Each structure stands twice: as structure tokens, then as C-alpha cells.
Amino acid sequence: MSNAQQPTDPVKKGLEGVVAGSTAISDVDGQQCQLIYRGYNIDELVGKASYEEVSYLLFYGKLPTRSQLAEWTRQLDGGRTVDPHVLDILKQLPIHAPSMALLRTMVSVIGCDDPQAEDEALESIQKKAIRLTAQTVTLVAAIGRLRENNTPLPPKPGLSHAANFLYMLHGEEPVPVLAKALDAYFVLLADHGFNASTFTARTVTGTKSDYYSAVTAAIGSLKGPLHGAANRKAMEMLEEIGTPEQVEPYVQRTLADHKRFMGFGHRVYKGADPRAKHLKDIAKSLGTTNETKWFVISEKLQDAVWNAKQLYINVDFYSASLLHYLGIPTELFTAMFACARMAGWSAHILEQWADNRLIRPLSQYTGPRGLKFVPLSERT
Ligand code: CMC
């Protein structure tokens, strides 16, 4: 006998406050404004652990030992190359389509190309997950280069995940400070509880569909401006503002038009997003050797929106200036979010798969009932 909720229970619009499952991967503590990965507060990890270590932590529940990290890095290095015939398919797509649409399509292509795609063994899903986590930076860099009429570059073994991305995008090895900044960004965005895209991935996995279908759906979910595309929208907002003097008029205009400030507000955190302060520090340090203007505008906007509406910044706000300072085109920003989140999505897909039950909530029907069929010839 099922103890399922009855349709008469009150609807929680947007599933606000609903606990939809359990996970040991990460905890988003809205009251304390903390983000925990497998027991570690992100404040403890950022700047100390690399994305390689954190992705291992998310997958396996423990930080790797030296030899485990060496083996994990070897696997990521080995997986990062994208087959030339897959890249040929990317070249045939309309390259100025949104980069998230291209990435979504390419994950699907890689799924079609993988003879093991339908293999349901956990170890097989794990292998696919490691490979795709590694390959995503290669795909996104290739999309970035093709959009600028440049030839995609293969990854360089021995470079870190973050350094490899910057190398493949810009065609030269980054100075350590830039690779470290992107590495911290990847660490901070690697996972975040049952956010919309992760929940999407888990829902698809819940039907026992394949790994690639779950990731493809997650990318589609992250693409939305209320979720991952807020980083791109935040940069466009900074560009629209243009100068520090224009911050206040912009805020007044946005309030008058009842529009949203991108990179502000959060469903779960009742105070500051714990990732935002780290991203702000990194953006500030990159700004001092770069165009300070974007950081100055951001800080002024943060204060002005707080004074006007008491809204906290979220992860996407300072991600915008940080990614811009790394020379990443604005159009690629959400795909950068996907590069980071690939480890989290994968860990959640594996966790869901290992202890699955179909995710199938109820809905409250608000339409009419009891209508009688009217033949086509009699309908008005
Ligand atoms: N700018 C202006 N008003 C806002 C904002 C904002 N950024 N965020 C919330 N509000 C207001 C909203 O207008 C509403 O006011 P009212 O009740 O008067 O209409 C109230 O706050 C509650 O908004 P809501 O949409 O019901 O809240 P939510 O919990 O469903 O939304 C959110 C959360 C993140 C979608 C929302 O804050 C938002 O739209 N922010 C801008 C987009 C953004 O930055 N998204 C990134 C989210 S964090 C990273 C991620 O998950 O990807």
C-alpha cells in the first residue's frame, strides 16, 4: 500500500521547501548559508583542493590519496580528447547557435557514438561519466574556437583540467594565476544539491534512461536564465550599465520596469550565497591586473541593489567578471558552468542509479471535467 501524497494536499509551487530525495553528495544549507561537499565546507576546499581532487571527492565520497589522484588525473587526461569524427559533426552544426545548444547536441552525439551507451552496469556508467567530465572542456573550447573561425586544438597532456581549457581556447598555456582562478571557479560550481539541472538529471536517470540522456537534459535545464544563463545575463547587464556612474540609473530603471537583477536572489539561501564571496575575491584580484571597470561596476551594483531591494548576490554575479577577466567570450559563460557542474551531475546520476526509484510526483488538475464529446461537424 503506497503512502503517496494525495492530490488534495497543498501545491508547493516550484517545489519550494519540498524534500524530493536524499543525497550524500552535497548539502545546500539555506539557513546557515553553507555549501558542503561530502562533509567538507567549500570554504575548506577552495584554494586548497583542485577540481581534479574535488571531482574525485564528489564521485567517490573521499578526497583521493596521492596515488589515487595520479590515477584519476591519468584517466581524465586520457578521456579529454574528443574523436575527430565527433568534432567534424560539430563543424557541420550552425556554429553561431547558442553554445549551450551546441553542447547539448554534442553530448547527444557522443552518446550515439558510444557503443557502451546503453550498458547499465554501474562501472560502465562511471567510465562514461569520467570521460564526459574530461571531454566537456574540450568541446566547449572547440565551440569557442570555431565561433571565432579558429581550428579546435587537442588537449595537452600534463596540464590541469582548468589550464587545459584555457590552453585549448586561447591557443597558449595560461599563466598559473589564471589557471588557478578557473580551477577555483570549477571547484565552487562543481555541485549544489538538488538544483534544477541536477534534479533534471536525476529525474531522467529515475526512468532508467541512459547517462547521456540525463546529461543532455541537465544541459537543457542549466541553459535557462533563471539557472545557469544568469552568469551570461549578468555580464550583459554590466555591459549595458557600461560605467560606474550609470549604476544608479540602471537600478532605478530596472525597479520601475519590474525586471530582475541577474545574479541576485536565491531560492534556498536566506542570506549570502557562500560561493559568492570567493568568486568576488578572485574577480577582484584578476581585475587589478586587467580592466578594473567591471569589478568596480559590479561592486557598486551589489551595494545599490542591496540598498534598493535587500537582495543578496548569488554565484552567477561575480562569475561574470571573473570569466570575462579570463578572456572567455560572454556567450560561452553558461557552458563554463556546465564544465564545472559535469562532475556534480555525474555523481548524482551514479547515486540515483545505485538506489533508484522512479521520480513521479502528483499534479493538481485545474481543468474542467465531465465534458461530452462534440463531433467535429457540430463544433463551433
Ligand atoms: N531581481 C529582482 N527581484 C527579485 C530577484 C531578482 N534577481 N530575485 C527575486 N526577486 C523578487 C521577485 O520579484 C519576487 O518579488 P515579488 O514577490 O514582489 O514578485 C520575490 O523576490 C520572490 O521571487 P521568486 O521568483 O518567487 O523567488 P524564487 O525563489 O522562485 O527565485 C531565483 C529564485 C534565483 C529564480 C530569482 O532570485 C531570480 O530570478 N534571480 C535572477 C536570476 C538568477 O540570478 N539566477 C541564478 C540563480 S543561482 C544559480 C543557479 O542556480 O543557477
Side-chain angles (χ1 to χ4, degrees):
M1 179 67 184
S2 161
N3 60 355
Q5 183 195 29
Q6 293 306 305
T8 49
D9 289 349
V11 172
K12 304 272 188 166
K13 197 170 179 191
L15 296 183
E16 181 166 1
V18 172
V19 179
S22 32
T23 177
I25 300 169
S26 64
D27 184 31
V28 180
D29 182 338
Q31 295 301 329
Q32 302 294 322
C33 295
Q34 291 182 348
L35 172 58
I36 313 288
Y37 291 167
R38 301 273 195 190
Y40 296 91
N41 190 312
I42 49 149
D43 295 343
E44 189 61 28
L45 296 171
V46 67
K48 297 179 196 157
S50 64
Y51 183 71
E52 282 81 342
E53 287 170 275
V54 167
S55 51
Y56 184 98
L57 173 69
L58 294 173
F59 270 64
Y60 299 114
K62 281 185 153 194
L63 282 170
T65 62
R66 197 181 288 273
S67 62
Q68 285 165 336
L69 181 61
E71 170 56 18
W72 180 246
T73 305
R74 195 190 61 72
Q75 287 183 52
L76 291 173
D77 257 354
R80 210 170 272 120
T81 302
V82 174
D83 279 349
H85 75 275
V86 169
L87 282 178
D88 284 344
I89 295 173
L90 173 61
K91 288 174 195 162
Q92 284 165 35
L93 295 176
I95 202 63
H96 292 287
S99 54
M100 284 293 276
L102 295 167
L103 181 62
R104 189 190 59 213
T105 305
M106 292 314 294
V107 169
S108 240
V109 167
I110 289 174
C112 294
D113 195 53
D114 182 353
Q116 306 302 319
E118 304 297 326
D119 186 343
E120 298 190 346
L122 207 58
E123 311 76 68
S124 169
I125 301 174
Q126 230 163 41
K127 276 190 193 148
K128 288 174 260 209
I130 296 167
R131 212 169 41 238
L132 196 63
T133 299
Q135 280 180 341
T136 308
V137 286
T138 312
L139 285 171
V140 175
I143 291 168
R145 284 185 74 80
L146 287 167
R147 290 171 75 90
E148 302 288 326
N149 286 324
N150 291 320
T151 311
L153 290 174
K156 202 175 227 187
L159 290 185
S160 73
H161 198 61
N164 238 317
F165 171 79
L166 291 171
Y167 161 73
M168 288 188 281
L169 182 71
H170 297 312
E172 56 185 45
E173 283 190 34
V175 293
V177 71
L178 300 184
K180 206 165 178 299
L182 184 60
D183 183 63
Y185 170 85
F186 281 165
V187 165
L188 288 163
L189 277 79
D191 198 39
H192 203 235
F194 278 18
N195 63 89
S197 55
T198 300
F199 191 60
T200 304
R202 290 191 75 125
T203 304
V204 174
T205 305
T207 70
K208 303 219 84 180
S209 187
D210 68 290
Y211 170 78
Y212 297 104
S213 296
V215 174
T216 304
I219 294 171
S221 171
L222 187 71
K223 183 172 176 288
L226 296 189
H227 191 8
N231 61 7
R232 176 172 58 79
K233 294 276 182 189
M235 192 66 220
E236 287 167 5
M237 176 177 70
L238 299 179
E239 281 164 350
E240 184 185 335
I241 294 170
T243 63
E245 296 69 42
Q246 286 304 314
V247 166
E248 201 50 50
Y250 176 85
V251 169
Q252 294 313 321
R253 240 180 9 254
T254 306
L255 290 172
D257 295 346
H258 302 287
K259 289 195 176 152
R260 294 198 172 207
F261 297 99
M262 300 315 281
F264 288 83
H266 203 275
R267 169 67 66 77
V268 184
Y269 294 122
K270 299 303 167 217
D273 182 326
R275 302 162 292 181
K277 61 179 182 292
H278 297 292
L279 295 163
K280 181 176 181 177
D281 287 347
I282 301 166
K284 185 177 185 180
S285 70
L286 295 178
T288 54
T289 53
N290 210 300
E291 241 181 321
T292 34
K293 158 172 132 168
W294 302 114
F295 182 79
V296 173
I297 296 174
S298 301
E299 205 168 31
K300 209 166 169 201
L301 184 60
Q302 179 184 355
D303 292 344
V305 173
W306 176 258
N307 292 336
K309 232 180 157 195
Q310 285 73 56
L311 280 172
Y312 287 97
I313 50 168
N314 62 45
V315 67
D316 290 314
F317 188 64
Y318 281 102
S319 291
S321 42
L322 187 160
L323 294 173
H324 179 84
Y325 285 139
L326 293 177
I328 297 168
T330 308
E331 215 288 314
L332 283 191
F333 281 12
T334 311
M336 298 308 295
F337 195 151
C339 289
R341 192 53 58 83
M342 196 57 72
W345 288 334
S346 298
H348 280 271
I349 291 167
L350 287 160
E351 189 184 56
Q352 180 71 35
W353 191 269
D355 183 21
N356 186 51
R357 190 167 185 221
L358 178 74
I359 298 172
R360 200 323 183 175
L362 298 175
S363 56
Q364 187 182 66
Y365 176 66
T366 58
R369 292 183 192 277
L371 300 181
K372 297 288 175 231
F373 180 76
V374 180
L376 186 57
S377 58
E378 294 171 25
R379 280 178 229 157
T380 53

